[in-house]
Amino acid sequence: LGIANSKKLKLAQNKIDESVARLAVVKDNVLPSASASFLYNHAEIPTHSLSIGGGNPINLPNRADAFVGTAAVQEVVYGGGKYRYAQESTRLLTDVARLDADKNKEEITYAIINSYFSLYKVMQSKKVVAQNLESIASQLKQAQRFFEQGIVTKNDVLRFQLQQANVSLTDLEIENNRKIINYNLDILLGLPEDTDIELTDAEATLPASAPLNTYLSLAMASRQELQQLDIRNKVANYNIKSIKANQLPTVGVGANLYYINPNGSFIPAANEYIMPVTLGATVSWNVASLWTNKNKISEAKIQQQEIGIQKDILTDQLKTEINRNYQNYLLAVKRIDVLQASIAQATENDRLLASKYNNNIASVTDRIDAETLLYQAKINLDLAKADAMLAYYTLLK
């Protein structure tokens, strides 16, 4: 749903369409060029007699009309491979645009997963806080009953009321965070902004971790950034070839058709116009490119080397990123084991303190602290499970 409604992906698709259109334009450059023109010319000749030396005068008409038409077709037969290199470069840049779209799709997917688990953590915290408030309400009733019986002091009742107020404030903060995350997720999914999202249980069995080298190999083979740099390296290679091609001669062929009608009539009589056809071939060579291209080639090679260096830098960055995500995932799994043990300990501690408090051998402070530790442990466990799943998706990103 998020991918289907993503404006960022629509923009990426537009970039792909633009690259495809640019490739079509480059392909059109290899097609023959053709042109046609038609000229009408009218001349008024006030002095229509011309004498040169002692010869007989040349008599000209008072006025003259002429129609001249031309049509030409030109095609480059050999251009040193420049057109082919331009096509290959543009095709590769289209592949880069597609990889950009794939990368954006993965980023959007991860953003949705991240928001999903953020909302899940808030909802789980809200559930635990609701249970805590329910338990506090029960403890408060019991404390008020004990106060009426003279077993506890008014201060003990006030402590439960203070705990209830503090947990209620926590519930308000959690609800505020839920609304913010819910709104952001609505935007990501393209849903109406007032949609309340209900989550299914996000808790799942955590996958067993593979060796670090497995994730490193997977990233080196599939990360779009590395693939893009490989493609840009090929583009740079074609750029070098294109510059070298400028040193080669260009061969072209063409045909020209001329229509010359000095008769003055738009449609002349037979034999009063001529229509010659010419065929030709052209060989041109910019000899100066033999020495002016040398520095251009050096510059292009340096740019290609820069791409290789960028790939080495990115590879190192990916390795450190994957190792960090891998260690974070292992830590998240271990935290769950520790917190599960703490839940058992906090539950037993709460049970003992509840019994002691009911028998008036434990203070209200000890009772509240034990209950707070138990519910905090439950919240921490739910958060840890969600964090572990998110850490796994981060590792696969």
Side-chain angles (χ1 to χ4, degrees):
L1 188 61
I3 291 174
N5 293 299
S6 172
K7 297 178 179 65
K8 190 174 182 181
L9 282 183
K10 291 178 182 177
L11 178 61
Q13 182 59 48
N14 190 69
K15 293 290 184 183
I16 293 175
D17 295 340
E18 181 182 355
S19 296
V20 172
R22 191 179 297 114
L23 177 59
V25 170
V26 173
K27 288 181 177 179
D28 289 343
N29 290 336
V30 303
L31 299 176
S33 62
S35 63
S37 65
F38 189 81
L39 170 68
Y40 166 72
N41 191 35
H42 172 79
E44 293 289 337
I45 310 174
T47 58
H48 47 273
S49 180
L50 177 65
S51 297
I52 301 176
N56 295 326
I58 301 174
N59 294 316
L60 301 173
N62 293 332
R63 61 183 57 84
D65 295 285
F67 296 91
V68 179
T70 61
V73 177
Q74 304 286 335
E75 182 175 9
V76 176
V77 178
Y78 176 73
K82 289 183 289 185
Y83 293 126
R84 178 166 58 87
Y85 299 146
Q87 283 188 35
E88 292 299 329
S89 295
T90 309
R91 183 177 289 107
L92 289 172
L93 290 176
T94 303
D95 292 338
V96 170
R98 290 192 176 98
L99 286 172
D100 267 335
D102 291 342
K103 186 172 182 294
N104 289 336
K105 187 181 295 185
E106 289 192 1
E107 289 177 350
I108 290 168
T109 301
Y110 180 77
I112 292 172
I113 291 173
N114 194 359
S115 297
Y116 177 87
F117 280 110
S118 295
L119 184 59
Y120 173 78
K121 289 193 290 185
V122 168
M123 297 296 288
Q124 290 301 107
S125 297
K126 193 169 179 62
K127 287 180 182 178
V128 174
V129 167
Q131 293 172 1
N132 195 3
L133 284 172
E134 184 179 348
S135 176
I136 292 172
S138 175
Q139 295 291 338
L140 181 58
K141 288 181 180 179
Q142 184 183 50
Q144 288 172 336
R145 188 169 62 252
F146 284 173
F147 172 70
E148 292 170 358
Q149 297 172 359
I151 299 174
V152 299
T153 65
K154 181 65 175 177
N155 187 55
D156 292 334
V157 176
L158 291 175
R159 285 181 181 274
F160 277 114
Q161 291 174 338
L162 178 60
Q163 184 193 17
Q164 187 179 48
N166 289 337
V167 176
S168 296
L169 286 175
T170 301
D171 186 55
L172 289 175
E173 292 175 359
I174 292 174
E175 175 61 18
N176 184 64
N177 290 336
R178 187 200 67 80
K179 289 179 179 178
I180 293 173
I181 297 171
N182 190 98
Y183 181 87
N184 293 342
L185 195 52
D186 284 341
I187 298 297
L188 277 174
L189 296 176
L191 297 173
E193 297 169 7
D194 57 350
T195 303
D196 273 334
I197 297 176
E198 301 230 351
L199 303 181
T200 57
D201 191 0
E203 186 176 344
T205 303
L206 291 173
S209 60
L212 175 61
N213 286 335
T214 300
Y215 299 106
L216 289 173
S217 299
L218 180 63
M220 296 303 112
S222 62
R223 287 297 283 260
Q224 290 89 353
E225 303 97 309
L226 293 176
Q227 295 176 24
Q228 285 178 325
L229 287 175
D230 287 337
I231 292 175
R232 291 192 181 279
N233 185 63
K234 293 178 181 178
V235 172
N237 191 51
Y238 279 119
N239 185 40
I240 293 172
K241 290 181 179 180
S242 181
I243 295 172
K244 289 181 178 179
N246 290 330
Q247 299 175 330
L248 301 175
T250 300
V251 179
V253 295
N256 296 276
L257 171 67
Y258 300 94
Y259 168 75
I260 302 173
N261 172 18
N263 177 269
S265 299
F266 183 74
I267 302 177
N271 301 321
E272 291 186 359
Y273 67 93
I274 59 174
M275 190 179 292
V277 177
T278 64
L279 299 175
T282 304
V283 178
S284 61
W285 188 15
N286 183 7
V287 181
S289 64
L290 294 174
W291 56 83
T292 58
N293 261 23
K294 181 173 63 175
N295 291 327
K296 293 180 181 179
I297 294 173
S298 298
E299 181 185 13
K301 287 182 177 179
I302 292 172
Q303 291 173 347
Q304 187 179 34
Q305 291 171 357
E306 182 178 338
I307 294 173
I309 296 171
Q310 288 176 346
K311 183 179 179 182
D312 291 339
I313 294 173
L314 180 59
T315 300
D316 290 342
Q317 291 175 343
L318 289 178
K319 286 180 178 179
T320 57
E321 175 188 334
I322 292 166
N323 178 66
R324 180 176 64 252
N325 294 338
Y326 181 75
Q327 300 302 331
N328 287 342
Y329 178 62
L330 295 181
L331 176 62
V333 173
K334 292 176 182 177
R335 286 187 72 243
I336 291 176
D337 295 336
V338 173
L339 288 170
Q340 284 175 335
S342 70
I343 286 283
Q345 296 165 355
T347 301
E348 179 63 17
N349 181 60
D350 182 69
R351 187 187 67 79
L352 292 175
L353 266 295
S355 176
K356 290 181 179 180
Y357 175 74
N358 291 335
N359 291 298
N360 206 24
I361 56 175
S363 68
V364 66
T365 302
D366 292 337
R367 177 70 190 95
I368 291 174
D369 289 345
E371 191 173 50
T372 301
L373 286 173
L374 175 59
Y375 284 104
Q376 188 60 52
K378 290 181 178 180
I379 290 175
N380 289 342
L381 180 60
D382 286 333
L383 297 184
K385 289 179 178 178
D387 286 339
M389 286 302 300
L390 182 59
Y392 181 71
Y393 284 112
T394 304
L395 177 60
L396 297 181
K397 185 177 68 159

